[in-house]
Amino acid sequence: DPYVELEAMKMIMPVKATAAGKISHTRGAGSIVSAGELLGSLELSDPSKIKKIVPFTGDFVLSAGAGDEESADLMTQVELALDGYVPQREPAALVQQLFLEAPPYLYNELATAVLDRYLAVEEKYVEEVRSNVSPDQAFLALIAQNKESLDKVASIALARSQLATRNEIVLSTLRSVRAISNGAILADLVRRLGELPSEHGFGEVALLARQYAEKLNAKPFEERKDSLRATLDEATLSFDKVSSLKATAGGIELLADLLNDESEVIRKNAAEGLVRRIYRQFPGLEVQVSDEGPSKQTCKYSFQFADVPSDGDAITHHGVCCVLPSFGDFKELLSGPIPVEDSTGKNVSTMSVVISPDAFTVDKLSFYSTDTEFKEMIEETEGLLKQFASALKEAGVWKFDLIVPQAPHTPRYATFLAEQDWKEQPSCRDMRSTFRNLLEIARLDEEYDLERIVPAVGRNSQVFVGTKKGEAKGKLGKPKTIFAQTITHTFDADLDGGDAWMQWPENLLLSAVDELERARLIPEVGTKPNSHIFAHFNTSVDADHTLVVDGVERFQRTHTLRLTASSMGGEYLKTTALFEKADPLTGAPVSWSDARSGSESQLDNAMAGRMELKRQIARAAGSTYAPEFLGMIKVELIKKWGEYREAGGRRAVPADLFSSVELVPSPDGELVESTRSPGGNNVGVLAWRCTLATPEYPEGRDIVIIANDVTFQAGSFGVAEDDLFQKASEYARARGLPRIHIACNSGARVGLAEELKPYVKAKWTEDSDPSKGFDFLYLEEEDYNRFEDGTVVAREETVNGKKVFAIDSIIGEGLKSTAGGIGVENLQGSGLIAGETSRAYNEIFTLSYVTGRSVGIGAYLNRLGQRVIQMVNGPMILTGFGALNKLLGKKVYTSQDQLGGPQVMVPNGVTHKLVQSDQDGVSAILDWLAFTPKTASDSPPLLDPTDPPERDVTFVPSKTPYDPRHMLAGTTTPEGEKLTGFFDEGSFQECLDGWGRSVVTGRAKLGGIPMGVIAVETRNVDRRVPADPANPASQEVLEPQAGQVWFPDSAHKTAAAIRDFNRGENLPLMIFANWRGFSGGTRDMYNEVLKFGAQIVDALVEYKHPVFVYIPPGGELRGGSWVVIDPAINPAQMEMYADVESRGGILEPAG
């Protein structure tokens, strides 16, 4: 029997005694209790029936197979850790010891075993995640596949529970073996690791595996060096040829390794090639080389900075690159005359030192194996440069570069500046000295605290994470930005060949995007930071600049053209084009002019500001910052037009595809149009009227978007939010416009009168035992007088002989913390917008897109609008899983998805469509709008069919079970024969596919005419009822459902789909009737099949558009299923047709 009842979050949970006896409660009624707290004791009626808990005596030995942990085989310990058991030592140390003690000839075998065991679990999991969308659904699919051997699923779940440990083992294994030659099997395993998705915890493993795979696929270093040696073995060498070689064939590491070659010709050419490769594309580059033997070359060179006006301001910079046999020779070099002269007197000379390829003494197993030695060289170099600072100044040297080769890896670089007292520049470490100028690192360094992301994918790229200097720290830390700075020195395109030349910049930009994606795989970076790409096309192009300006949104080398595409100002990737001029002394850009008008301009610092922080907050919530959905719509419109044209559509693409105006409340409370920049709102709801030029409406159609701003008080609904939401919805209803709600919120706002909190005290029932509760809350007289009338409602009481004011109610009137509502006024507003949304569904097209999360009233709004697109990481919930776990006193639920994720909302019919990302969600919104009229009073949009309506339907339904989607959309046979379906090719879009699976619903086009579609599943299906995690006794139930039968869920689905097609969509309806009747068993009658079957009639009675009932070949319509779709229900709109091979009747042939 229950001995106590616990209440939490509106739920009551009885706690029962499992034995008979006399109960003595230790806590009184109304007490607040915590998990694990003693509630009472039981004096047993029969103690003999209870097994006593006694202390354990004896020895308890932990075992890992045979023997204890100390004697267990190291490989066994690694395998157990990979299986999900917690290791007794650090995973990385365990792997390192394994490879340290194993002979090298076993490395491949050990690594193969580790990676194979890891992939055996993760590939099965990933396969299901990719096809079933969410992790919970993936495990449900694995359970369905392994009903007879659930231990396999349990082992996968156990291993996945220790993914961090498993990842450490794999990472340590890859680092242990990547310096050795590897077999084909190991190479294949590494490739498969690199193919794991970036999400689901695989990011760091996939990143390292991809880098390792690139190493395995490259030609051996010595083979590439021999090829370059042959190229350099010419007395009259064309250095343009050397500079144009790909990095893998003529990179710095190859040239540097040839500086100590036996041939003087090769050494000199290698030295000159090295300098020319570093300074390629710098105007006026001239190089002179003197050679005194292996690793003893001196290269004097001169150059000018690009983009400097040719009106006499250009400065010739001089430099020297000295190759030294050892680092110890560096001091001797500085002790003598500096071999460079400053003829300008402006300190514009540069000096580089390349140390012999044998400078490092450690094994160069990886790029950073030389870290310790290199740091020592840097410290010593700083000291030497400071010691000889006067000599360097006299020679006009302002920048010094240290280059230390470490073949087969790229060299180590360090840059030192005179203006920084010859300190090394950390942001420029391990990058060529010219990158500081070419990639504008110095400008970034002025505005951001930079942290280098290493290694970058391409050797001509650098990636940084920057934090704005002086930026205030928020709840999520300082907003960060990832900077991908990349450069290309080649141009292999024909500018006269149409738009084909755009492939050149596109490839560079894609490589920069790849850099960003790889940076996000690093756990310390993650997906929250904003991103910024700087791409430098360092090549001369002789053409009109307007070609590039129009193409990216041919230019003469006399100017540098800076193209910017930024979303920071609110408009998606708004382009600007500026001509750029550089400082002749430093090469840094200093002035700009508009490429179109020629007027002077300044760089818009779009990299900083409030947008960065808001984007970070939105990403942390699993969503996208609300105003950026407008840009995503524009991108998807471009894609939709491209697909339409590729399919043979003849309508011209409009010049303006998208425009929007924000709807903001005016001082009198009415909505007015505004074009303010994003981020200026002080309300957590935003609204826009958007004009979309779609293939269906190339002249443009208007929609109203209402979006929660999750960056403002977590997207909660207060009075102001409710008011704006309601007015924006009314705005859409008054004009008959489609209303799209982008839902990412935390429900109705709950707040406290913060100013009052410090002064509230409690009158305890017993001062010595607060657990017994309190009599009332009160304010002392002095504190009561602090606040204006209307803050609280209180009565006079006496506590310890002092007059106090016992609080009856807290009103909070006039307090800053209560502005916008903190309590029931917000619930009243929630009721307001709930009613508004219900009315909107009846009058116009309503659609909700759920991203991030939608809680409480937010979840109800989605359901009240009926049509719902859900992002896989966008649960709809009423109560958070954490609160439920507290109620249950244990960790039962592990995520919000178990309460309102796709595995719940798809099978129960709340979610119509499921998408993987916000971009996919926007695409799904536009796909749905393609079937929706301009206004609620218009007919659906007509589009010239690309699939001729007079063609034959070659798919013929059979009398045996078949997939009805093949009849609707067509299919391809196993022999490769293409069979056409009833509707236009590629137009059928199914919805509600996870609910009521014995019926298929969706939308399609017939001769370009949008139609609602209802068809019948002829095959048997299962209805899955999940087990309740909160009830250990519950089990998953699979209910078989026969084909061609209406069950409660499929009847409900049919009625709901008919209502959706009728309201706001105005679609003609095609019903492919092939039912044998309704399921009338006890369970189905109890589950209201009669009610939902009647709703089909109700929905057809009110249908205002043509309804075609068609019994297909081999189909049958019998009994009650005929009744609920007979044209007599709505003779003004309904017609019935039957194929000559179809049948109808009251009963089955057997009677």
Side-chain angles (χ1 to χ4, degrees):
D1 293 334
Y3 68 89
V4 72
E5 288 184 341
L6 299 176
E7 178 184 355
M9 300 299 293
K10 307 177 287 297
M11 291 180 288
I12 303 294
M13 182 176 68
V15 182
K16 298 181 180 180
T18 57
K22 181 181 178 181
I23 186 80
S24 298
H25 292 93
T26 59
R27 304 301 302 272
S31 298
I32 298 173
V33 297
S34 303
E37 198 167 335
L38 181 65
L39 302 181
S41 57
L42 185 67
E43 183 181 338
L44 295 170
S45 299
D46 186 359
S48 64
K49 293 184 178 181
I50 302 299
K51 187 175 182 179
K52 292 185 177 180
I53 300 174
V54 296
F56 173 78
T57 58
D59 297 327
F60 184 72
V61 180
L62 286 172
S63 176
D68 59 18
E69 193 270 337
E70 286 296 323
S71 61
D73 176 74
L74 283 171
M75 190 61 192
T76 301
Q77 294 180 50
V78 170
E79 289 174 344
L80 286 170
L82 286 170
D83 290 343
Y85 298 98
V86 179
Q88 298 301 304
R89 66 179 84 179
E90 287 296 320
L94 189 63
V95 174
Q96 289 168 7
Q97 185 177 351
L98 174 66
F99 283 94
L100 183 65
E101 296 185 3
Y105 68 85
L106 285 179
Y107 283 7
N108 268 343
E109 181 181 338
L110 293 172
T112 299
V114 170
L115 302 188
D116 191 51
R117 202 176 189 94
Y118 179 87
L119 286 168
V121 169
E122 302 307 341
E123 285 185 328
K124 290 177 183 176
Y125 173 78
V126 167
E127 182 181 353
E128 296 307 325
V129 167
R130 282 174 171 157
S131 57
N132 293 281
V133 182
S134 76
D136 286 340
Q137 286 178 304
F139 276 109
L140 290 175
L142 287 170
I143 290 171
Q145 294 169 16
N146 298 275
K147 293 179 181 178
E148 305 303 322
S149 54
L150 290 177
D151 56 321
K152 293 181 180 179
V153 183
S155 64
I156 292 175
L158 176 62
R160 287 284 305 167
S161 70
Q162 298 297 323
L163 181 61
T165 296
R166 289 159 49 79
N167 284 349
E168 280 191 62
I169 291 173
V170 171
L171 291 169
S172 187
T173 299
L174 290 175
R175 294 183 181 116
S176 297
V177 300
R178 62 182 174 183
I180 66 172
S181 59
N182 309 111
I185 297 177
L186 182 56
D188 181 64
L189 291 171
V190 172
R191 175 190 59 78
R192 286 158 57 190
L193 280 175
E195 291 175 353
L196 292 174
S198 302
E199 56 274 10
H200 306 298
F202 299 122
E204 198 170 1
V205 169
L207 175 61
L208 186 60
R210 290 169 197 171
Q211 293 168 351
Y212 188 17
E214 291 170 4
K215 172 184 175 294
L216 292 176
N217 294 329
K219 285 185 179 181
F221 179 80
E222 291 300 326
E223 184 178 329
R224 291 183 284 127
K225 187 173 77 169
D226 290 343
S227 177
L228 180 59
R229 179 187 285 110
T231 301
L232 297 178
D233 196 9
E234 296 182 20
T236 56
L237 180 65
S238 170
F239 285 99
D240 288 341
K241 176 182 177 182
V242 177
S243 297
S244 63
L245 288 173
K246 290 184 177 179
T248 54
I252 300 294
E253 70 276 17
L254 294 166
L255 291 165
D257 212 52
L258 291 171
L259 293 174
N260 62 354
D261 194 86
E262 294 179 356
S263 169
E264 180 181 353
V265 172
I266 293 175
R267 292 197 303 266
K268 293 182 68 173
N269 287 339
E272 183 167 349
L274 186 147
V275 172
R276 288 189 177 275
R277 193 167 187 90
I278 291 176
Y279 286 91
R280 57 183 162 174
Q281 298 298 342
F282 277 72
L285 178 62
E286 295 183 3
V287 183
Q288 294 179 341
V289 181
S290 62
D291 180 85
E292 298 178 10
S295 298
K296 293 181 180 180
Q297 292 86 35
T298 301
C299 305
K300 294 185 177 181
Y301 55 91
S302 60
F303 65 91
Q304 294 178 348
F305 283 118
D307 320 322
V308 177
S310 56
D311 53 7
D313 291 337
I315 295 176
T316 298
H317 296 253
H318 296 273
V320 63
C321 178
C322 301
V323 183
L324 303 178
S326 69
F327 185 74
D329 297 315
F330 179 34
K331 183 174 182 179
E332 183 180 344
L333 174 68
L334 294 179
S335 300
I338 305 297
V340 62
E341 295 182 3
D342 178 20
S343 60
T344 65
K346 296 182 179 180
N347 286 353
V348 295
S349 299
T350 61
M351 183 177 181
S352 304
V353 164
V354 180
I355 309 299
S356 164
D358 301 321
F360 289 122
T361 60
V362 297
D363 290 333
K364 297 179 278 292
L365 298 179
S366 69
F367 182 89
Y368 293 102
S369 298
T370 57
D371 252 0
T372 302
E373 281 191 72
F374 189 52
K375 288 176 181 177
E376 292 174 356
M377 291 182 183
I378 289 174
E379 291 177 6
E380 191 170 345
T381 300
E382 285 184 347
L384 289 172
L385 293 175
K386 291 179 182 178
Q387 180 181 345
F388 294 98
S390 58
L392 292 168
K393 182 177 181 181
E394 186 177 342
V397 178
W398 71 281
K399 180 167 69 75
F400 177 86
D401 300 306
L402 176 65
I403 305 172
V404 189
Q406 51 166 8
H409 311 291
T410 54
R412 306 300 300 263
Y413 297 91
T415 298
F416 308 80
L417 299 180
E419 63 182 20
Q420 299 292 335
D421 195 24
W422 293 114
K423 291 182 179 179
E424 191 239 353
Q425 305 300 297
S427 60
C428 298
R429 184 179 295 183
D430 293 322
M431 71 172 71
R432 296 204 297 270
S433 61
T434 51
F435 277 9
R436 187 173 186 272
N437 173 269
L438 297 174
L439 298 182
E440 298 192 0
I441 306 298
R443 189 167 69 88
L444 282 182
D445 229 347
E446 292 175 359
E447 301 178 30
Y448 289 84
D449 293 322
L450 297 177
E451 180 183 348
R452 185 102 167 277
I453 299 298
V454 290
V457 181
R459 62 179 67 216
N460 286 336
S461 301
Q462 300 296 328
V463 184
F464 300 89
V465 173
T467 305
K468 188 78 173 177
K469 291 182 177 179
E471 187 77 23
K473 187 175 182 179
K475 292 182 179 179
L476 298 175
K478 292 184 178 181
K480 296 181 179 180
T481 302
I482 306 175
F483 296 97
Q485 315 289 101
T486 187
I487 188 171
T488 182
H489 301 280
T490 57
F491 179 67
D492 300 320
D494 180 10
L495 290 174
D496 296 323
D499 290 337
W501 72 273
M502 282 299 296
Q503 189 69 34
W504 166 63
E506 184 177 328
N507 287 340
L508 185 64
L509 291 174
L510 287 175
S511 69
V513 171
D514 192 33
E515 298 283 5
L516 293 174
E517 290 178 347
R518 292 216 182 185
R520 292 183 187 279
L521 296 180
I522 300 172
E524 293 76 13
V525 179
T527 59
K528 295 176 184 177
N530 300 287
S531 56
H532 182 276
I533 291 174
F534 176 86
H536 189 163
F537 302 94
N538 189 33
T539 184
S540 298
V541 181
D542 186 14
D544 184 1
H545 74 273
T546 57
L547 177 63
V548 174
V549 175
D550 295 337
V552 179
E553 170 226 300
R554 280 181 214 250
F555 55 114
Q556 298 165 348
R557 185 58 208 180
T558 53
H559 295 91
T560 287
L561 183 65
R562 177 182 287 265
L563 296 172
T564 303
S566 173
S567 301
M568 287 294 191
E571 184 176 343
Y572 181 75
L573 291 181
K574 181 180 179 181
T575 58
T576 57
L578 304 174
F579 283 134
E580 186 170 274
K581 294 182 180 179
D583 185 317
L585 193 62
T586 64
V590 291
S591 64
W592 300 267
S593 60
D594 188 274
R596 294 185 176 93
S597 66
S599 59
E600 290 188 6
S601 183
Q602 292 294 323
L603 288 184
D604 180 17
N605 186 14
M607 296 178 289
R610 59 193 175 197
M611 287 284 285
E612 291 182 337
L613 179 59
K614 289 183 175 291
R615 282 175 165 175
Q616 182 177 341
I617 295 172
R619 291 192 186 107
S623 182
T624 301
Y625 182 40
E628 295 190 300
F629 277 97
L630 305 181
M632 296 165 73
I633 293 174
K634 184 176 181 180
V635 170
E636 285 302 318
L637 283 172
I638 295 171
K639 292 181 181 178
K640 299 303 179 190
W641 274 102
E643 293 168 0
Y644 167 74
R645 297 286 293 181
E646 287 177 8
R650 296 188 297 272
R651 293 183 177 180
V653 182
D656 297 321
L657 295 180
F658 180 83
S659 63
S660 65
V661 292
E662 188 177 356
L663 303 175
V664 300
S666 64
D668 61 2
E670 296 303 315
L671 294 185
V672 295
E673 296 181 355
S674 171
T675 57
R676 68 182 179 184
S677 298
N681 55 296
N682 57 1
V683 177
V685 165
L686 298 166
W688 297 272
R689 191 192 78 234
C690 304
T691 302
L692 288 63
T694 66
E696 294 77 23
Y697 293 106
E699 74 282 4
R701 65 172 302 166
D702 287 347
I703 64 171
V704 172
I705 294 178
I706 305 173
N708 296 109
D709 181 0
V710 73
T711 71
F712 185 89
Q713 298 199 23
S716 58
F717 286 93
V719 174
E721 286 77 17
D722 296 329
D723 186 58
L724 178 54
F725 190 105
Q726 189 260 347
K727 284 184 167 59
S729 183
E730 279 188 341
Y731 180 97
R733 280 199 296 123
R735 294 159 178 79
L737 300 177
R739 194 201 84 175
I740 313 298
H741 175 208
I742 299 176
C744 184
N745 54 72
S746 54
R749 188 172 302 152
V750 178
L752 297 169
E754 297 293 337
E755 295 88 340
L756 198 64
K757 279 171 57 179
Y759 305 104
V760 176
K761 295 178 173 60
K763 170 63 175 67
W764 302 110
T765 302
E766 289 187 19
D767 292 340
S768 60
D769 188 3
S771 66
K772 293 186 177 180
F774 59 90
D775 297 332
F776 54 82
L777 300 177
Y778 67 89
L779 294 173
E780 293 183 350
E781 184 175 11
E782 179 184 356
D783 297 332
Y784 177 79
N785 293 328
R786 292 174 186 269
F787 299 97
E788 301 291 334
D789 291 342
T791 304
V792 297
V793 175
R795 66 183 187 276
E796 288 189 14
E797 293 282 354
T798 302
V799 174
N800 298 328
K802 293 175 59 177
K803 183 172 74 172
V804 299
F805 290 85
I807 300 174
D808 292 325
S809 303
I810 297 177
I811 309 301
E813 184 178 346
L815 299 181
K816 182 179 179 181
S817 62
T818 62
I822 61 169
V824 293
E825 61 271 29
N826 293 340
L827 299 180
Q828 184 179 35
S830 296
L832 173 72
I833 58 178
E836 168 59 34
T837 299
S838 180
R839 283 188 289 274
Y841 172 72
N842 289 322
E843 297 178 20
I844 59 175
F845 175 80
T846 56
L847 173 63
S848 295
Y849 171 58
V850 184
T851 169
R853 63 173 183 266
S854 198
V855 183
I857 181 58
Y860 276 110
L861 290 176
N862 302 327
R863 178 56 190 162
L864 289 166
Q866 301 295 327
R867 305 172 188 87
V868 176
I869 300 171
Q870 184 179 18
M871 198 254 280
V872 62
N873 293 322
M876 289 175 272
I877 59 174
L878 299 180
T879 300
F881 78 96
L884 293 177
N885 285 340
K886 288 181 180 178
L887 167 67
L888 299 171
K890 55 185 176 180
K891 187 177 180 181
V892 173
Y893 298 100
T894 58
S895 71
Q896 311 287 22
D897 283 347
Q898 289 178 286
L899 304 174
Q903 69 270 33
V904 176
M905 293 301 168
V906 171
N908 71 10
V910 171
T911 294
H912 289 60
K913 286 179 178 290
L914 191 64
V915 295
Q916 289 274 15
S917 66
D918 285 337
Q919 194 67 59
D920 292 341
V922 171
S923 179
I925 292 172
L926 294 183
D927 286 340
W928 210 319
L929 287 173
F931 294 90
T932 307
K934 225 177 189 181
T935 68
S937 59
D938 290 333
S939 297
L942 300 181
L943 195 61
D944 296 336
T946 55
D947 188 12
E950 61 273 11
R951 64 154 171 81
D952 292 334
V953 178
T954 56
F955 178 86
V956 180
S958 63
K959 292 186 178 181
T960 58
Y962 62 91
D963 188 340
R965 297 163 188 81
H966 295 167
M967 176 181 65
L968 305 176
T971 187
T972 301
T973 67
E975 294 76 24
E977 180 185 1
K978 186 176 181 180
L979 302 177
T980 57
F982 190 91
F983 293 103
D984 295 352
E985 183 178 6
S987 69
F988 175 65
Q989 296 185 16
E990 187 174 359
C991 67
L992 296 169
D993 56 331
W995 175 49
R997 294 170 56 223
S998 63
V999 166
V1000 176
T1001 60
R1003 293 158 185 79
K1005 294 185 178 181
L1006 184 62
I1009 301 173
M1011 301 191 77
V1013 182
I1014 297 175
V1016 183
E1017 178 60 79
T1018 62
R1019 301 166 297 176
N1020 294 340
V1021 297
D1022 289 329
R1023 175 176 177 262
R1024 174 183 165 272
V1025 181
D1028 183 2
N1031 181 6
S1034 69
Q1035 293 182 338
E1036 178 182 271
V1037 177
L1038 287 179
E1039 298 177 357
Q1041 295 183 336
Q1044 299 177 267
V1045 176
W1046 259 316
F1047 292 88
D1049 56 347
S1050 54
H1052 190 185
K1053 173 179 177 176
T1054 304
I1058 294 172
R1059 286 194 295 268
D1060 287 348
F1061 298 149
N1062 186 42
R1063 300 179 186 181
E1065 298 186 44
N1066 304 347
L1067 293 176
L1069 173 59
M1070 177 69 72
I1071 301 176
F1072 293 87
N1074 188 11
W1075 284 282
R1076 295 184 287 122
F1078 287 88
S1079 177
T1082 301
R1083 182 178 60 191
D1084 295 320
M1085 292 296 289
Y1086 182 81
N1087 287 332
E1088 306 172 289
V1089 68
L1090 188 62
K1091 176 197 294 184
F1092 297 128
Q1095 287 182 7
I1096 298 174
V1097 178
D1098 293 338
L1100 289 172
V1101 165
E1102 65 179 28
Y1103 211 84
K1104 301 176 183 178
H1105 316 288
V1107 179
F1108 305 95
V1109 180
Y1110 172 53
I1111 310 176
E1116 53 184 316
L1117 192 61
R1118 302 188 184 280
S1121 58
W1122 182 303
V1123 173
V1124 299
I1125 58 173
D1126 189 89
I1129 291 173
N1130 188 349
Q1133 301 294 348
M1134 297 179 66
E1135 296 177 354
M1136 178 180 281
Y1137 302 86
D1139 188 86
V1140 294
E1141 296 295 327
S1142 63
R1143 296 288 183 268
I1146 296 178
L1147 299 175
E1148 298 274 1

